[in-house]
Amino acid sequence: MLDSNRSLDALDSIDEGIFALDHQGRFSYVNRAARQLLPRLVGATGAELAGSVIWNASPSFAHTPMGLALRRAQAEGHSVAQAVRDPVSGAALDLRVYPSADGLSVLLRPAAPAPSAEVLDRVSDLYLACDGDWRLTFVNARTREYLRLFGLGRDEPVGQSVWEVIPGLAGSRFQAEAFRAMVEQTEVELEALFPPLNRWFSARITPMDDGVIACARDITGWRQSRAALTREAERLAEVIRTQQAVITAGPDLGAVMRVVAERLQALTGASGAGVFLPEEADLVLCEGSGTARDWLGQRLPVTGSLIGHCFTSGEMIRCDDTTTDPRVHQGAAEALRVRSGLLVPLTGARSTQAVVAIWSDRPRAFHQVHEHTLQLLAGLLTAAMERASAFAANQLLLGERTAALAAIRVGEERFRQLVESVDDVVFRLDRRQRCVDAFGRWLEREGLHAESLIGRTTGEIVGPEEAPVHERANLRALAGETVTYEWTLRTHRGLRHMQTILSPLRGAEGEITGIVGVGRDISQRIEAEQQIRQAQKMEAVGRFAGGVAHDLNNMMMIIVGFSDFLLGALDHGDPRWSDAEEIRKAADRAMHLTRQLLAFGRHRVVAREVLSLNDVVSGMERMLRPLLGEDIALVTSLASELGGVEADYGQMEQVVMNLALNSRDAMRGGGRLTIETMDVDFPEGYAFEHLGFDIPAGPYVLMVVGDTGQGMTAEVKAHLFEPFFTTKPTTHNSGLGLATVYGIVVQSGGYIWVDSAPDQGTSFKICFPRVSAEDAIRSADAETPASVGGTETVLIVEDEEVVRGLASRVLTSQGYVVLEARNGREALALVEQSPDRVDLVLTDVVMPEMGGQQLVEQLHRALPEARIIYMSGYAEGDKLQSSIRNSPYPFLQKPFSPDSLCLRVREALDTAIR
């Protein structure tokens, strides 16, 4: 502005004040008019302005309207307009501030004159002005008219407090908004009720430098008109929504009538609304809302009732008070609690079809608006009733057809669900052997889709190699036969065994039009049959092994017994003593072999005892070497002072044997089999962290059987211990070896796991809870009597003469009196003839003529206090009956040593005495 081409002299000649400030607020230019105005505005003389800082002119200048405007323009960087007042003359000035790169340019000029009082007196709005102390400085004519309503027209309001002139303003929203406009120096607009006049006003309050100006308008009438228009719009909207609800209700006449009654009650505020339909000589309330719901089915006579008059005349009727209208049926009015009502007939193309009524329990509750609303909705209901009649006629025509189609669809869906839920594949072929349809869960399981099969021949589906089998079967079915055949199919799940049943498909005349077939996956059945055959073969082998072991038991018992006699009769320095000892050792090895045969046939009695795995491995080492072959080296690494484990000796031998044979099969080209034993201690959580399963913390004995064979994949390891699982041909292996090992280990309280990878060999690791040697010794000492001899009488019943003689000799050498019998009958006769008292009976279980069980049953009557010991070379579960296996009497498994016999006899006698 100051950079224009006008000279400074020209600026001095104008009546508008112009001055400039630099960025520090220092006056850089002041024209003549500004020099006259500024001293009064900033509190300084004209001579002091040049070069001075405007902010230093007066301490309070920064908080004046002019100071605030300068600060805002400087801070915001855009022009600011502000009204200020000359403190001397009171004239209003217009202040304009323009920021620039050099600072601020400021213009001061007189403000435009305000509208005259004459103009404001002609307007219909209320105008008033107040100074800073809220004293009225101006009141227009319209405002004075309203003041007269307060009885203040006689006194002049100007100069008085506005809160005293208009008492209703104090504490009102108008006062609160006026205060806010003054404090915030911002214009405020509002609408509010003025309670003293009970009228609504809209007001605009504008702050000035010396007070406020307020403009108000009476909007009471406008609000009432707006409310009326709003209600009418809402009523029309409700009518439209009712029309939409009627359309949504469809052709169901009952639903339509119910919707119309509910909407009528809501629109009119009636206590009840209903629809009356003619039936014989009455009108029946068929649907309703509100109080009408309690009287559905109410009948009113056509003659003698207001409803009937509306129905017969076809005219709308409004009753303002039922107590004074003679046309009203008083009984019905009292029942429905009706005091006033409005009735509209529903007139169709030819006659009145029904009557719609609304009623209230108040007199004169309805007026012209309700009549109009009721007529609108009655038209909707009439049209809906005509549509419902037409729809009912169509329903009668379509009912039977719809029911028939529904029955067909239900049958088809039932058949479809039945076929698709079958775990097979069902298909149809035409006469050219092309697939017409296929469905069933088998397709999904094998990853096939019916679309890929339809249109293809059987040969195209199964391939040229399998095609002849299927084509021959198809031709037989097309000739009228029912064909069943089995075949194999290779899928993504491997080789599957399938069974197909084909039947001819006949047409309406009985001619064969194609084939219907069912394909079934019978792989599980085939595998189960193979497993059953393998199990039966194993059972037969086991029974044979048990029979062989029985004969070996008797022979081993003779060898062991007489070897012990020789060892007891010869001195250690005698060369024959060494010969007898070798015979005894050979007999022990043969006894171990017998236990393995019994364990293989699952006929051996499980007897858990504290044993050393070192003894098990050492005892089997001589047997394992020839079984492994010359190309496999057997290396044992047995820990010294190894802890004991509580297990069955024979079962531990079976575990070692099965693992060794499994390793041999994995080393077809030779290799090394290593068996190690050691004591280990598992800390808490160690097994789960390193092995993936939990083993309780504590001391264990670990046995490791490792080989340098071909190793196993992760998939093979996942199924390793499953029964009948094997990677070898079924003719080479039963698939039970490792499953048996797993069962024995778990039954004995142990844990087994395997480390293996392809071409990295395999290492089976087995651990059992460790039992200390001291515990084993204390247990053995507690079970061993101080003396095994005695003077009691023992009856030995045994059909094998050598075994009977051996047992008699052993017991006689210990001081016992021994009686002998070959079978149960001889034993009974001997008991009857012998004058001596029999203290204990040692009887074989299986004998000719009379077995041990029958003997014991009869001996109880003759010798009720006699003690009994059963003995047998047969295994428990083979020829031993369950009553003997579960009897309370001790059982002595052959072969047994002389020491075992003496120990068991002494225990039985002592137990009986106790």
Side-chain angles (χ1 to χ4, degrees):
M1 180 181 194
L2 297 180
D3 293 333
S4 64
N5 296 325
R6 296 167 60 182
S7 65
L8 296 180
D9 293 338
L11 293 178
D12 277 339
S13 63
I14 64 176
D15 295 332
E16 297 174 349
I18 297 175
F19 64 92
L21 301 173
D22 61 14
H23 290 293
Q24 286 74 35
R26 182 175 286 102
F27 287 98
S28 58
Y29 173 77
V30 183
N31 75 342
R32 177 184 57 78
R35 285 195 295 271
Q36 296 175 355
L37 292 172
L38 283 175
R40 299 195 293 270
L41 293 174
V42 301
T45 63
E48 297 173 348
L49 293 177
S52 65
V53 178
I54 194 171
W55 310 114
N56 298 336
S58 171
S60 61
F61 172 72
H63 303 289
T64 63
M66 181 176 177
L68 294 173
L70 294 175
R71 289 288 192 191
R72 188 163 71 252
Q74 189 176 32
E76 297 176 0
H78 58 75
S79 61
V80 174
Q82 177 66 43
V84 297
R85 189 175 295 277
D86 187 340
V88 177
S89 64
L93 299 175
D94 185 13
L95 174 69
R96 301 297 176 97
V97 185
Y98 303 93
S100 65
D102 298 328
L104 299 176
S105 299
V106 184
L107 171 65
L108 276 171
R109 63 185 178 185
S116 66
E118 294 180 359
V119 175
L120 293 180
D121 283 340
R122 295 193 185 100
V123 300
S124 60
D125 294 339
L126 287 73
Y127 278 90
L128 58 85
C130 297
D131 60 13
D133 296 326
W134 300 102
R135 296 187 179 278
L136 290 170
T137 57
F138 173 77
V139 178
N140 74 340
R142 186 65 172 170
T143 305
R144 294 178 183 274
E145 292 178 8
Y146 274 86
L147 289 177
R148 281 195 291 272
L149 296 176
F150 290 99
L152 300 176
R154 295 184 300 273
D155 298 328
E156 174 60 36
V158 175
Q160 299 185 49
S161 172
V162 67
W163 315 122
E164 295 176 357
V165 173
I166 311 175
L169 291 178
S172 68
R173 185 183 172 196
F174 295 99
Q175 184 185 48
E177 293 299 327
F179 285 165
R180 185 166 71 90
M182 179 72 81
V183 172
E184 298 178 2
Q185 286 295 296
T186 181
E187 189 173 76
V188 176
E189 293 186 1
L190 72 151
E191 287 185 8
L193 177 69
F194 188 56
L197 296 179
N198 194 26
R199 302 188 70 81
W200 282 82
F201 290 88
S202 67
R204 183 173 68 253
I205 304 172
T206 305
M208 304 297 290
D209 292 339
D210 56 352
V212 297
I213 296 176
C215 173
R217 177 176 296 174
D218 189 340
I219 60 172
T220 305
W222 173 81
R223 285 179 60 88
Q224 290 174 348
S225 299
R226 185 178 65 176
L229 291 173
T230 301
R231 287 194 297 271
E232 182 63 18
E234 291 175 351
R235 187 177 69 88
L236 292 176
E238 289 295 330
V239 171
I240 294 173
R241 281 194 286 270
T242 302
Q243 184 177 13
Q244 294 172 344
V246 168
I247 295 173
T248 305
D252 184 356
L253 183 58
V256 171
M257 291 190 297
R258 184 163 53 253
V259 167
V260 171
E262 291 173 352
R263 302 300 295 176
L264 269 175
Q265 184 193 8
L267 280 171
T268 61
S271 59
V275 180
F276 293 83
L277 294 179
E279 184 176 314
E280 298 178 352
D282 296 329
L283 289 169
V284 182
L285 179 59
C286 296
E287 274 296 344
S289 177
T291 58
R293 298 296 300 173
D294 299 332
W295 295 95
L296 293 180
Q298 176 74 31
R299 306 177 74 90
L300 295 176
V302 174
T303 58
S305 65
L306 196 61
I307 293 285
H309 182 67
C310 177
F311 180 78
T312 55
S313 65
E315 299 176 354
M316 182 178 67
I317 298 176
R318 188 175 82 189
C319 176
D320 292 330
D321 193 339
T322 58
T323 60
T324 60
D325 195 326
R327 300 169 297 177
V328 174
H329 190 285
Q330 294 299 325
E334 293 177 1
L336 296 174
R337 298 189 297 275
V338 177
R339 189 67 186 275
S340 61
L342 189 60
L343 297 82
V344 174
L346 302 182
T347 305
R350 297 182 179 179
S351 62
T352 302
Q353 300 177 357
V355 175
V356 178
I358 58 174
W359 59 85
S360 174
D361 55 3
R362 298 177 292 104
R364 292 173 293 279
F366 306 109
H367 46 77
Q368 188 176 3
V369 174
H370 297 126
E371 294 177 4
H372 183 57
T373 302
L374 191 57
Q375 287 176 330
L376 285 175
L377 296 186
L380 295 176
L381 186 55
T382 300
M385 291 180 66
E386 293 177 350
R387 289 196 304 270
S389 298
F391 178 79
N394 292 332
Q395 287 294 96
L396 291 175
L397 295 175
L398 297 176
E400 293 184 1
R401 182 180 178 184
T402 302
L405 292 176
I408 293 174
R409 286 195 296 270
V410 169
E412 291 177 347
E413 182 63 22
R414 185 183 299 112
F415 177 76
R416 174 70 62 177
Q417 291 178 355
L418 177 65
V419 173
E420 290 184 350
S421 63
V422 174
D423 197 23
D424 300 323
V425 55
V426 181
F427 57 91
R428 286 190 299 136
L429 305 178
D430 59 17
R431 292 194 60 84
R432 294 183 298 170
Q433 302 186 28
R434 292 187 179 277
C435 181
V436 178
D437 198 3
F439 40 82
R441 292 171 57 189
W442 181 85
L443 292 174
E444 180 181 355
R445 189 168 59 250
E446 297 299 337
L448 300 175
H449 299 281
E451 293 77 8
S452 64
L453 305 179
I454 294 175
R456 300 170 62 189
T457 64
T458 306
E460 293 172 346
I461 294 174
V462 301
E465 296 182 0
E466 297 288 342
V469 176
H470 297 278
E471 290 173 352
R472 286 194 297 269
N474 292 341
L475 293 176
R476 291 173 58 190
L478 289 172
E481 295 185 45
T482 297
V483 184
T484 302
Y485 64 100
E486 296 182 4
W487 53 289
T488 57
L489 174 67
R490 186 165 300 279
T491 69
H492 70 282
R493 296 195 299 155
L495 188 66
R496 313 301 297 176
H497 295 270
M498 302 294 297
Q499 181 188 71
T500 299
I501 303 175
L502 302 176
S503 299
L505 188 63
R506 300 183 183 274
E509 302 297 329
E511 75 281 6
I512 297 177
T513 60
I515 303 171
V516 60
V518 177
R520 177 168 297 169
D521 190 334
I522 59 172
S523 302
Q524 291 185 350
R525 192 195 76 188
I526 297 297
E527 293 174 1
E529 291 174 353
Q530 293 175 350
Q531 292 175 0
I532 291 174
R533 287 193 293 270
Q534 182 68 25
Q536 290 173 341
K537 181 172 62 177
M538 295 293 294
E539 179 66 19
V541 174
R543 288 188 177 276
F544 173 74
V548 171
H550 171 262
D551 295 335
L552 287 175
N553 281 339
N554 284 334
M555 290 186 288
M556 288 303 102
M557 181 174 174
I558 295 171
I559 296 173
V560 169
F562 285 100
S563 297
D564 287 344
F565 289 153
L566 286 175
L567 290 172
L570 297 174
D571 293 333
H572 286 274
D574 193 327
R576 291 174 296 175
W577 191 92
S578 299
D579 295 339
E581 185 180 26
E582 288 300 322
I583 295 173
R584 182 67 168 82
K585 291 180 180 179
D588 287 339
R589 290 193 295 271
M591 289 171 62
H592 290 318
L593 177 61
T594 303
R595 281 198 293 268
Q596 290 175 0
L597 285 174
L598 291 174
F600 174 77
R602 288 177 173 80
H603 292 301
R604 183 179 179 273
V605 178
V606 176
R608 296 181 65 176
E609 57 181 328
V610 177
L611 54 87
S612 172
L613 292 180
N614 285 352
D615 295 341
V616 175
V617 175
S618 299
M620 296 193 67
E621 188 172 353
R622 183 178 298 178
M623 184 186 304
L624 290 176
R625 292 189 184 277
L627 290 176
L628 295 176
E630 296 181 355
D631 57 346
I632 296 178
L634 174 62
V635 179
T636 59
S637 177
L638 308 180
S640 59
E641 299 182 1
L642 185 71
V645 298
E646 187 175 356
D648 180 85
Y649 196 96
Q651 285 189 336
M652 292 299 101
E653 290 180 326
Q654 186 176 3
V655 168
V656 175
M657 176 67 73
N658 286 357
L659 292 179
L661 294 178
N662 185 78
S663 297
R664 180 197 66 182
D665 295 339
M667 296 184 289
R668 293 298 182 183
R672 183 177 68 257
L673 172 65
T674 304
I675 303 177
E676 299 179 74
T677 60
M678 64 190 76
D679 288 334
V680 294
D681 291 278
F682 286 135
E684 189 70 35
Y686 175 85
F688 186 82
E689 180 180 354
H690 293 83
L691 305 178
F693 60 91
D694 191 30
I695 298 178
Y700 292 87
V701 175
L702 178 66
M703 180 171 66
V704 182
V705 180
D707 62 60
T708 58
Q710 60 189 10
M712 291 178 280
T713 64
E715 181 180 2
V716 172
K717 287 198 295 182
H719 303 280
L720 191 60
F721 298 114
E722 295 179 3
F724 301 103
F725 175 80
T726 178
T727 58
K728 310 178 187 68
T730 55
T731 56
H732 293 177
N733 194 286
S734 66
L736 294 172
L738 294 179
T740 302
V741 169
Y742 181 82
I744 291 174
V745 171
V746 174
Q747 181 184 11
S748 303
Y751 303 88
I752 182 171
W753 66 97
V754 60
D755 292 331
S756 182
D759 301 325
Q760 300 295 322
T762 302
S763 178
F764 287 92
K765 299 179 180 180
I766 306 173
C767 68
F768 298 96
R770 188 166 71 225
V771 179
S772 64
E774 292 77 4
D775 294 339
I777 294 173
R778 282 196 297 270
S779 176
D781 292 343
E783 295 176 357
T784 303
S787 173
V788 296
T791 58
E792 292 88 350
T793 301
V794 179
L795 173 59
I796 301 177
V797 187
E798 167 64 56
D799 60 330
E800 188 72 33
E801 183 176 357
V802 180
V803 175
R804 185 175 67 250
L806 176 63
S808 176
R809 180 175 174 180
V810 170
L811 294 178
T812 301
S813 66
Q814 296 296 326
Y816 296 102
V817 178
V818 179
L819 304 177
E820 299 181 25
R822 290 179 300 176
N823 53 53
R825 295 191 184 279
E826 285 190 8
L828 290 175
L830 189 61
V831 169
E832 293 176 358
Q833 297 171 6
S834 175
D836 299 325
R837 177 178 174 271
V838 176
D839 299 295
L840 183 142
V841 178
L842 175 63
T843 178
D844 196 4
V845 175
V846 181
M847 295 178 293
E849 297 189 24
M850 180 182 289
Q853 184 180 11
Q854 295 173 305
L855 171 63
V856 170
E857 292 175 355
Q858 297 190 30
L859 278 178
H860 267 306
R861 292 190 290 270
L863 300 172
E865 298 183 0
R867 279 74 75 194
I868 306 297
I869 297 179
Y870 286 118
M871 61 178 175
S872 179
Y874 288 103
E876 186 176 18
D878 187 3
K879 289 198 173 185
L880 299 185
Q881 300 179 13
S882 60
S883 58
I884 294 178
R885 295 197 304 269
N886 299 326
S887 71
Y889 303 121
F891 178 81
L892 199 55
Q893 176 73 57
K894 297 178 183 178
F896 49 80
S897 65
D899 291 340
S900 299
L901 174 61
C902 294
L903 178 63
R904 187 58 60 87
V905 169
R906 187 69 262 165
E907 287 178 349
L909 290 170
D910 292 344
T911 301
I913 292 173
R914 290 194 296 267

